[in-house]
Amino acid sequence: MKTYDLLIIFALLCMVATERRLRHKSRYPEMCKSCPPGWGVSKMCNHFNKTVCAPCNVGISYSPHHSYRAPCWQCSRCGQGLYAAHPCHPSRDTICDSCPRLFSVDQQQYRAIAECSVVK
């Protein structure tokens, strides 16, 4: 065999290996079950086992979308001068808002005032 023939064989082998890797990556999401919002991956799937999902904990963790790879994410905490307008939920992160400067009869405002007075 000539050096040229060996180079062609080597190139073909590399192309086949690359194609197999790409085919595996593109089929991976199809093979694995996706965890729904509010659930995170506790164990990723492989050729032998299915994806294992675990529920996110209210006020502690959340997962906003379907995923076959991501675990639950830690909930955000509101910083100084902010309060949790909408607390963290298993499928949604905490939504913070500024502490009110004026008093109001709105129920949400009473909660905000109570939270903001603790922060100060």
Side-chain angles (χ1 to χ4, degrees):
M1 272 194 191
K2 295 181 182 178
T3 305
Y4 181 74
D5 293 336
L6 290 174
L7 285 174
I8 291 175
I9 291 171
F10 179 75
L12 289 172
L13 288 173
C14 288
M15 286 174 49
V16 168
T18 302
E19 182 183 307
R20 282 185 181 167
R21 260 197 318 270
L22 291 174
R23 205 171 345 139
H24 173 70
K25 283 185 179 180
S26 67
R27 276 197 285 172
Y28 189 73
E30 295 169 13
M31 293 175 10
C32 297
K33 181 184 103 179
S34 177
C35 297
W39 293 71
V41 174
S42 64
K43 188 169 185 178
M44 288 179 61
C45 83
N46 56 36
H47 291 290
F48 308 105
N49 299 306
K50 294 180 180 181
T51 305
V52 177
C53 302
C56 300
N57 299 313
V58 176
I60 298 172
S61 59
Y62 73 101
S63 176
H65 51 74
H66 291 270
S67 178
Y68 62 93
R69 293 176 34 189
C72 294
W73 301 336
Q74 186 175 352
C75 293
S76 297
R77 298 180 129 200
C78 299
Q80 188 169 358
L82 302 172
Y83 75 99
H86 298 283
C88 187
H89 183 271
S91 61
R92 181 192 68 229
D93 195 11
T94 307
I95 298 174
C96 301
D97 199 358
S98 300
C99 289
R101 296 177 192 266
L102 301 172
F103 290 85
S104 160
V105 290
D106 183 344
Q107 195 69 14
Q108 177 109 0
Q109 290 292 329
Y110 282 134
R111 191 174 91 233
I113 292 164
E115 279 190 45
C116 290
S117 65
V118 172
V119 173
K120 290 182 179 178

